[in-house]
């Protein structure tokens, strides 16, 4: 087979949407591994911090849900901070994020993070250019402190095309289940594609360090990016399987020694 044709076929395969059956089969395998990772994190007292950034509609929420839906919320904590209060605006910029960093035995996932200053705050004018420039200068040092303290830091940027972003945002408008995902800020940001691209490039150039590198995931296919990202983070957090292989239920004991009272329980209507 000619090299040109082979590359073309590979590109065509990559553009095909992953089917539900194949997706669920692979996701189940990865969920099992995430549980193993969870047990190892607790056992070794690891501190893991995962940062997700990307444009509106890039699929961050779906990826985070796929990671966390089969693990303990007490160990895998998701942090999605609202807009800062007036008091928080007067604090050291990174101060409100420090309180959410992982302790031993925790995995903290930031659905957007301190990088708000390099992205939405800068593009939308919520901070000055001087503040954004200073942030980019000190962030590698800040992250070096995190890593040197023993935190495993993973930073992911989800990349989506302008066409796919528009399709997803339109879907949020027409789907009553998703309308809550569309904020006035999303609508304003939609008109500033190039500004976000420039901000992303400058952010990468300043903060893609050897100790805290950026990893980019193409998210045109939501299912593929979820599988790819989970696979990637599992490879970048060394762990061992310490889960028990065989678990047996104990004998229940005799049932019926206690006689239930005739209580007028208020049952939920069985509409379905």
């Amino acid at each position: 087979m000619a090299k040109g044709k082979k590359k073309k076929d590979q590109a065509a395969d990559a553009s095909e949407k992953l089917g539900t059956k194949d997706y669920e089969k692979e996701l189940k395998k990865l969920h099992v591994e995430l549980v193993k990772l969870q047990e190892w994190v607790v056992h070794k007292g690891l501190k893991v911090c995962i940062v997700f950034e990307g444009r509106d509609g890039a699929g961050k929420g779906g990826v985070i849900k796929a990671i966390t839906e089969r693990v303990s919320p007490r160990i895998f904590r998701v942090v999605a901070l609202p807009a800062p209060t007036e008091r928080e605006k007067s604090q050291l910029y990174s101060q409100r994020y420090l309180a959410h960093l992982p302790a031993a035995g925790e995995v903290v996932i930031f659905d957007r993070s301190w990088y708000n200053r390099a992205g939405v705050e800068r593009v939308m004018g919520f901070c000055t250019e001087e503040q954004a420039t200073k942030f980019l200068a000190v962030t590698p040092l800040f992250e070096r402190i995190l890593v040197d303290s023993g935190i495993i830091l993973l930073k992911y940027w989800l990349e989506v095309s302008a066409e796919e972003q528009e399709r997803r945002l339109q879907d949020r408008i027409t789907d009553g289940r998703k309308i809550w995902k569309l904020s006035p800020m999303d609508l304003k940001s939609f008109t500033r594609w190039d500004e976000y691209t420039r901000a992303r490039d400058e952010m990468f150039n300043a903060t893609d360090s050897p100790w805290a590198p950026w990893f980019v995931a193409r998210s045109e296919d939501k299912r593929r990016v979820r599988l790819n990202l989970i696979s990637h983070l599992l490879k970048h957090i060394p762990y061992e399987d310490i889960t028990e292989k065989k678990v047996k239920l104990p004998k229940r004991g005799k049932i019926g020694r206690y006689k239930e009272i005739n209580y007028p329980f208020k049952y939920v209507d069985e509409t379905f």
Side-chain angles (χ1 to χ4, degrees), residues 217-252:
R218 288 186 286 269
S219 64
E220 292 298 287
D221 185 332
K222 292 181 178 180
R223 291 172 177 169
R224 290 186 188 278
V225 74
R226 292 168 191 170
L227 299 180
N228 290 333
L229 272 170
I230 295 174
S231 298
H232 187 276
L233 73 87
L234 286 169
K235 291 176 182 176
H236 283 75
I237 307 174
Y239 67 97
E240 297 178 15
D241 181 7
I242 58 171
T243 56
E244 295 184 15
K245 298 298 182 182
K246 294 182 180 180
V247 177
K248 290 185 178 181
L249 287 176
K251 291 183 178 181
R252 189 192 292 272

Side-chain angles (χ1 to χ4, degrees), residues 138-182:
V138 303
T139 295
L141 303 176
F142 168 68
E143 292 175 348
R144 185 60 183 262
I145 293 172
L146 300 186
V147 173
D148 286 349
S149 74
I151 292 176
I152 298 173
L153 177 60
L154 293 173
K155 303 187 302 187
Y156 291 108
W157 174 272
L158 273 65
E159 187 64 29
V160 66
S161 67
E163 295 76 17
E164 180 62 15
Q165 183 198 48
E166 182 173 357
R167 188 196 68 77
R168 292 178 185 178
L169 294 181
Q170 285 287 3
D171 188 43
R172 291 180 182 180
I173 295 174
T174 57
D175 191 332
R177 300 167 299 174
K178 301 177 181 178
I179 190 65
W180 64 272
K181 293 184 177 182
L182 192 67

Side-chain angles (χ1 to χ4, degrees), residues 6 25 59 81 205 213 225 242 250 268:
K6 185 176 182 180
K25 178 182 177 181
L81 298 183
N205 188 55
V225 74
I242 58 171
V268 173

Side-chain angles (χ1 to χ4, degrees), residues 51 75 89 105 107 175 203 208 216 256:
V51 169
I75 299 170
K89 288 178 183 179
V107 178
D175 191 332
M203 179 187 76
D208 186 20
V216 179

Side-chain angles (χ1 to χ4, degrees), residues 54-265:
R55 302 176 192 269
D56 297 321
K60 296 180 294 298
V63 170
I64 293 171
K65 182 179 178 182
I67 293 171
T68 59
E69 62 183 346
R70 295 293 182 176
V71 291
S72 171
R74 292 185 294 274
I75 299 170
F76 278 73
R77 291 194 293 109
V78 178
V79 177
L81 298 183
T85 63
E86 288 303 315
R87 180 176 184 276
E88 288 173 331
K89 288 178 183 179
S90 70
Q91 295 175 338
L92 180 71
Y93 175 71
S94 60
Q95 190 170 337
R96 73 183 191 129
Y97 296 100
L98 292 173
H100 299 280
L101 291 173
E106 292 182 340
V107 178
V108 172
I109 300 174
F110 280 95
D111 184 355
R112 296 199 182 277
S113 65
W114 46 91
Y115 281 102
N116 273 337
R117 174 136 296 181
V120 63
E121 288 190 14
R122 187 180 194 184
V123 173
M124 301 306 295
F126 296 143
C127 71
T128 66
E129 266 306 299
E130 181 182 9
Q131 288 174 320
T133 301
K134 287 182 177 179
F135 168 82
L136 293 175
V138 303
T139 295
L141 303 176
F142 168 68
E143 292 175 348
R144 185 60 183 262
I145 293 172
L146 300 186
V147 173
D148 286 349
S149 74
I151 292 176
I152 298 173
L153 177 60
L154 293 173
K155 303 187 302 187
Y156 291 108
W157 174 272
L158 273 65
E159 187 64 29
V160 66
S161 67
E163 295 76 17
E164 180 62 15
Q165 183 198 48
E166 182 173 357
R167 188 196 68 77
R168 292 178 185 178
L169 294 181
Q170 285 287 3
D171 188 43
R172 291 180 182 180
I173 295 174
T174 57
D175 191 332
R177 300 167 299 174
K178 301 177 181 178
I179 190 65
W180 64 272
K181 293 184 177 182
L182 192 67
S183 69
M185 190 58 58
D186 294 334
L187 299 177
K188 292 180 181 179
S189 298
F190 180 71
T191 64
R192 304 187 183 186
W193 179 271
D194 283 349
E195 290 89 338
Y196 272 100
T197 301
R198 183 181 298 109
R200 177 205 64 191
D201 291 348
E202 293 184 12
M203 179 187 76
F204 271 49
N205 188 55
T207 63
D208 186 20
S209 63
W211 52 89
W214 278 104
F215 296 105
V216 179
R218 288 186 286 269
S219 64
E220 292 298 287
D221 185 332
K222 292 181 178 180
R223 291 172 177 169
R224 290 186 188 278
V225 74
R226 292 168 191 170
L227 299 180
N228 290 333
L229 272 170
I230 295 174
S231 298
H232 187 276
L233 73 87
L234 286 169
K235 291 176 182 176
H236 283 75
I237 307 174
Y239 67 97
E240 297 178 15
D241 181 7
I242 58 171
T243 56
E244 295 184 15
K245 298 298 182 182
K246 294 182 180 180
V247 177
K248 290 185 178 181
L249 287 176
K251 291 183 178 181
R252 189 192 292 272
K254 188 175 180 180
I255 296 178
R257 292 179 179 176
Y258 170 74
K259 301 300 181 181
E260 297 181 25
I261 63 173
N262 187 21
Y263 188 82
F265 294 108

